[in-house]
Amino acid sequence: MQHQTPPQQGRPWETQEPVRASVPSTRANHLTDNVLPVRPALVDRGSSERLKPGMVQALIESGNALAMVLAGRKALVQANELVLLDADFLAQSLGEAGVRPEHVIYLGSPLDDDHIAPGTGIVLFVLADALAPGTSGIPKAAEWAGFRDVAAQLDALHTALFVEASAIANWHSTHTHCPRCGARTTVEAGGWVRRCPEDGSEHYPRTDPAIIVTVVGADGRLLLGGGGPVDAKNYSTLAGFVEPGESLEQAVVREIFEEVGVRVTACQYLGSQAWPFPASLMLGFTALTSDVEPRPDGVEVTRARWFNRAELQDAVLQGDVVISSSLSISRSLIEHWYGGVIQDRPAGS
Ligand SMILES: [Zn+2]
C-alpha cells in the first residue's frame, strides 16, 4: 500500500529543528487525515459459482482454466512471475506421474488483466511435495519460491493470487478434522468449505485478526519497537492479536501497553492487509499517547525508540535503522505518519 500524499519538499518538520533532510509537514499524521488508499480486488472469487458441485473439475476439463501450484509454502515461479499452467494439462501430467494433489481449489477469475482472457478461471493445485522442475508437468525453468522471496518482484495480480492461495492452503493444512467429533472433514464449494460427514457441520476458512499500530506522541514523534537482540537495527510498528470478546480499539490499547508500557488515549483505523503467513489479517491503526517513557516488555519487544521525521529518514539512509519493507502495511502506516515515501538505503551501500 503506497501512501499517495506527496511529500511537501523543503518544509521543516518543526521550526525549531535544523533541517537535515527534506521532510513533510507535521500535519500529515493528524488523526483526521485520510485513511490508507483502498486497493480494489483483482480477482472475482466467484462465491456463487463455486457452490456448484463438481465445478472445479468441470472448469479444469473445459480447458478454460489456469493452474497455480503451491507446495509447502512455496509457489512455482519463473522470471519474476507466478507460473500459471494449463490446468487440464497439469491435471493429466500429474495423473500420469501418479501424483495426487492434496487439494484443488478455485481461486477465482482475474478482473481486467492484460494477459489473462476474461472469464479464465484460476485453480490452485496444492501438492504434498515440491516436485522437481521438468517432471510431472512442472516446467523445467520454473523454481519454487516463498512469498517473501518473490513478492517484491511480482505484479499486483500475482501478489494477490499468492496471498489468497497461501491463506486457503494454510487453512486446509491445519483444519483437516471436525472440531466437534474428530472425523475427517470433506471439501466442498471449490475448496472454501469443509463439512463433517458424521454430524454435517460446516467449517469455514479462518482468519486471525491482528492490530498493527503507529503510536504517536504528543510532540508528533513516532514510537517504534523491535524484538530479538537489544542491539538489532530493525524497528517496526507494534502489533498483536485481537482476543475473543475484545474490540479492535481495546486490543490496540491492551497490546501497546503490554508491549511498550505506554497508554493509548485515542486510536483510528486506517486500513488492512491480508497476511496469511499463516492466517493473519493485519488491521492498521494510528494511536496517540501522552506517555513519553516506553517500557519494552523484554519478551516480544526488547527495545523501543521515539523518532521524529528527520531522525527516522536519516537513520534509514545511514543504515542505523531498518524499517519494514514496502510490501507491508507496517511500512504504509509509518509512511502515513511520515506524510510521504521514506527513502530506503541504496542497495549495496
Ligand atoms: Zn463432526
Side-chain angles (χ1 to χ4, degrees):
M1 287 181 216
Q2 286 275 312
H3 193 283
Q4 291 177 332
T5 307
Q8 297 171 45
Q9 298 296 319
R11 289 179 60 179
W13 75 279
E14 253 181 24
T15 50
Q16 295 88 346
E17 278 280 315
V19 181
R20 296 200 289 167
S22 179
V23 293
S25 147
T26 50
R27 299 298 299 164
N29 84 324
H30 195 271
L31 281 186
T32 54
D33 259 11
N34 290 337
V35 296
L36 300 178
V38 174
R39 291 197 157 183
L42 300 175
V43 176
D44 175 355
R45 296 182 178 217
S47 42
S48 54
E49 290 97 309
R50 71 191 184 200
L51 294 179
K52 292 178 199 150
M55 81 77 76
V56 178
Q57 191 57 34
L59 177 66
I60 292 170
E61 288 170 4
S62 76
N64 196 27
L66 295 171
M68 174 183 168
V69 194
L70 208 57
R73 291 190 180 174
K74 295 187 170 181
L76 266 190
V77 299
Q78 186 177 338
N80 297 331
E81 293 184 355
L82 287 181
V83 173
L84 297 175
L85 300 166
D86 180 279
D88 198 25
F89 163 78
L90 178 66
Q92 290 185 31
S93 301
L94 292 174
E96 287 163 11
V99 176
R100 188 180 157 80
E102 287 193 323
H103 300 288
V104 181
I105 300 166
Y106 183 59
L107 294 181
S109 181
L111 295 159
D112 301 325
D113 187 74
D114 292 340
H115 308 292
I116 299 175
T120 303
I122 309 282
V123 175
L124 173 66
F125 285 66
V126 182
L127 305 180
D129 300 303
L131 299 172
T135 67
S136 315
I138 307 293
K140 210 169 186 172
E143 42 189 5
W144 297 97
F147 182 75
R148 287 177 180 81
D149 303 328
V150 292
Q153 284 84 47
L154 297 178
D155 73 12
L157 173 65
H158 286 199
T159 301
L161 289 170
F162 206 150
V163 167
E164 182 185 352
S166 300
I168 192 69
N170 287 344
W171 175 67
H172 281 290
S173 72
T174 53
H175 292 75
T176 52
H177 290 71
C178 176
R180 297 184 183 184
C181 73
R184 186 167 183 93
T185 48
T186 57
V187 177
E188 296 183 356
W192 292 84
V193 176
R194 297 185 73 108
R195 185 186 297 277
C196 177
E198 299 298 326
D199 57 32
S201 59
E202 290 180 343
H203 305 280
Y204 291 87
R206 171 178 169 157
T207 294
D208 298 333
I211 49 91
I212 182 166
V213 188
T214 44
V215 177
V216 181
D219 58 2
R221 290 187 301 169
L222 175 66
L223 181 62
L224 297 178
V230 286
D231 57 352
K233 292 180 175 178
N234 54 308
Y235 281 84
S236 180
T237 45
L238 301 161
F241 286 107
V242 181
E243 294 195 343
E246 186 175 51
S247 73
L248 297 178
E249 293 81 1
Q250 289 165 350
V252 169
V253 171
R254 177 184 54 77
E255 279 286 347
I256 299 306
F257 188 74
E258 285 176 3
E259 291 191 350
V260 291
V262 304
R263 290 161 298 183
V264 163
T265 55
C267 66
Q268 183 181 35
Y269 173 74
L270 296 179
S272 66
Q273 181 183 35
W275 195 250
F277 310 100
S280 299
L281 174 64
M282 306 307 295
L283 300 151
F285 282 80
T286 188
L288 293 178
T289 184
S290 304
D291 293 343
V292 294
E293 193 66 46
R295 289 180 286 106
D297 67 6
V299 181
E300 286 189 62
V301 178
T302 53
R303 63 214 125 80
R305 179 173 158 190
W306 292 102
F307 295 89
N308 69 36
R309 290 174 176 73
E311 283 169 351
L312 183 60
Q313 176 63 89
D314 282 353
V316 169
L317 285 175
Q318 297 299 322
D320 298 333
V321 163
V322 177
I323 58 172
S324 317
S325 85
S326 53
L327 295 172
S328 67
I329 190 171
S330 175
R331 180 61 166 262
S332 301
L333 291 168
I334 293 171
E335 291 186 343
H336 180 270
W337 163 81
Y338 186 79
V341 175
I342 294 176
Q343 303 302 317
D344 280 309
R345 181 172 168 83
S349 62

